[in-house]
Amino acid sequence: MTAPHDDHDHGHDHGDEDWPYPHPKQPDLEDGPVSEHMIMTEAVAELLIDKDIFSAGELREMLESIDSKSPAEGARMVARAWTDPDFKARMLDDVNAAAEEIGIDAGTIPIRVMENTALVHNVIVCTLCSCYPRLLIGLPPDWYKSRNYRTRMVREPRAVLAEFGTEISDDVEVRVHDSTADLRYMVLPMRPDGADGLDEDSLAALVTRDSMIGVSVLKPDNQK
Amino acid sequence: MTDSDNKASPLPSAPLSSPGPRHHDMGGQGMKDAGPVDQVEHDYAPWEKRVDAIMRLVSDRKRKLMTVDELRRGIEDLGPGAYEDYSYYERWISSITNVLIEKGVLKIDELGRRMEDVRARWEQAK
């Protein structure tokens, strides 16, 4: 496998054709009213560039890197774990190191993967703020950061999961993992039935972001 | 003994915060007011991604000017009012700016001047 984005030829304009969620577009800066916080952001960026803390080019590269992170990276790890038990063992031991093996930079903050089984369903939350394995599955969705999700997931996870259309049978234990600034989690979803004979890329295409958060499970006929 | 007799006490007249978790610590708090999760998502605006990029740069291995914990502490220090009123990345840029001022990386007056410059430039471009 080559480095994660060597094979990207799209323009990083959020061209994620495989992004399975509706995305209401926000207006560009010029289109809407300018807020104090937007002005502050621009002023801080300019001052840090003037002070040689970072260059304009480094800021641009970082923006491109943020845009290039998508659930596809996490999905690639999940598909590899499904097809390679040794890789799965290493991933369960150390996600960041396992990511590096296949050319994915998962950053320096430890990420732990929680494996779903026929007996245990895992789901992640950050009750304090919004910690999330963003280097593997992109920026968190708004609802992950919302008060209701953060408040209720640790208290009534089955009810919250049901709102996402995910009914967990009573004989399956639900484990909720609360992330922090020092430790993040991702979920290793169960491989859907009927996905036998698919190669790793086709398997990766079945893996959704929400299944790696744990608010959904992969269905046999999952067409994203 | 009345309350006014306590004036000389070295202790604060009121606790700094009420007992129990602080406002950002939401797990299981205020369950009776909590409703369904609004499964809304938006595509992040360019300025929001810029905030994220600034944070990643100032906290990266090369610069280490601030940490994620400091970002969160800065957000929590905004207090319950701003915490509820500001959007997610509004909280972030407020915290980043405050922490960088605390650390002497940015100065308040230069920031104020630069914000005026940016405002003027954008007004002109309209």
Side-chain angles (χ1 to χ4, degrees):
Chain A
M1 205 75 206
T2 57
H5 291 296
D6 283 355
D7 54 352
H8 269 198
D9 56 7
H10 66 66
H12 288 299
D13 54 356
H14 204 95
D16 299 320
E17 306 82 17
D18 56 353
W19 186 263
Y21 306 95
H23 261 196
K25 286 278 183 192
Q26 280 225 332
D28 282 330
L29 200 56
E30 307 81 49
D31 301 334
V34 168
S35 74
E36 280 303 293
H37 286 98
M38 289 181 196
I39 291 172
M40 181 185 267
T41 302
E42 184 61 25
V44 168
E46 288 182 13
L47 286 171
L48 293 175
I49 290 168
D50 287 355
K51 292 170 187 287
D52 288 327
I53 305 281
F54 51 73
S55 69
E58 285 170 321
L59 181 59
R60 167 54 43 196
E61 281 167 25
M62 186 56 80
L63 285 163
E64 287 178 354
S65 163
I66 289 169
D67 273 345
S68 73
K69 293 291 176 188
S70 77
E73 318 236 71
R76 202 148 66 79
M77 295 195 71
V78 168
R80 176 66 64 94
W82 284 343
T83 53
D84 180 345
D86 291 339
F87 179 82
K88 184 171 101 177
R90 293 197 294 279
M91 185 174 166
L92 289 168
D93 185 50
D94 184 339
V95 172
N96 305 63
E100 200 177 338
E101 260 183 58
I102 56 173
I104 296 171
D105 178 6
T108 53
I109 298 170
I111 300 169
R112 192 158 294 164
V113 65
M114 311 312 297
E115 183 184 12
N116 283 352
T117 67
L119 300 174
V120 177
H121 179 84
N122 296 283
V123 61
I124 65 172
V125 64
C126 178
T127 59
L128 291 176
C129 185
S130 58
C131 285
Y132 184 80
R134 37 177 56 216
L135 291 177
L136 294 180
I137 60 179
L139 297 176
D142 292 301
W143 51 260
Y144 183 83
K145 306 179 287 189
S146 71
R147 170 175 287 280
N148 287 336
Y149 186 82
R150 289 160 58 188
T151 297
R152 293 176 54 225
M153 184 52 91
V154 290
R155 195 57 67 83
E156 45 181 23
R158 285 173 200 270
V160 177
L161 289 172
E163 288 170 23
F164 283 84
T166 303
E167 304 280 352
I168 302 296
S169 144
D170 284 345
D171 54 0
V172 175
E173 181 186 347
V174 173
R175 291 187 190 157
V176 180
H177 303 276
D178 195 356
S179 315
T180 71
D182 305 309
L183 178 63
R184 282 100 194 257
Y185 296 95
M186 71 175 280
V187 173
L188 176 57
M190 278 201 288
R191 178 174 169 153
D193 294 332
D196 302 329
L198 294 180
D199 65 15
E200 206 176 302
D201 287 347
S202 310
L203 285 172
L206 298 176
V207 182
T208 62
R209 178 199 65 189
D210 286 0
S211 73
M212 293 183 280
I213 298 174
V215 293
S216 70
V217 294
L218 299 173
K219 306 282 187 337
D221 56 343
N222 199 320
Q223 294 301 310
K224 304 201 61 173
Chain B
M1 189 169 168
T2 65
D3 282 345
S4 59
D5 293 331
N6 287 338
K7 265 184 186 163
S9 165
L11 295 171
S13 55
L16 289 174
S17 58
S18 52
R22 290 178 66 198
H23 58 92
H24 65 275
D25 190 357
M26 294 183 183
Q29 299 306 314
M31 283 294 288
K32 65 175 169 37
D33 300 322
V37 177
D38 184 1
Q39 291 170 40
V40 68
E41 332 190 354
H42 79 284
D43 203 3
Y44 290 102
W47 80 270
E48 294 178 301
K49 291 181 183 175
R50 228 168 157 72
V51 174
D52 210 291
I54 292 169
M55 180 59 204
R56 292 194 201 198
L57 284 165
V58 297
S59 64
D60 72 3
R61 275 168 261 203
K62 180 175 159 194
R63 295 170 188 86
K64 290 185 179 164
L65 286 175
M66 66 182 282
T67 65
V68 177
D69 308 69
E70 288 172 319
L71 171 69
R72 220 192 69 213
R73 194 264 301 162
I75 290 170
E76 290 159 9
D77 283 353
L78 294 172
Y83 194 93
E84 299 299 338
D85 292 346
Y86 289 0
S87 73
Y88 182 72
Y89 279 110
E90 287 176 350
R91 298 198 290 264
W92 270 44
I93 191 61
S94 303
S95 169
I96 293 166
T97 304
N98 288 338
V99 171
L100 292 179
I101 288 170
E102 270 175 25
K103 288 172 179 262
V105 177
L106 297 177
K107 294 190 180 59
I108 274 189
D109 54 340
E110 69 180 356
L111 177 69
R113 283 197 303 274
R114 186 60 66 109
M115 285 180 68
E116 285 313 309
D117 291 351
V118 171
R119 195 190 324 272
R121 236 184 295 143
W122 286 359
E123 288 292 326
Q124 221 170 27
K126 265 185 187 171

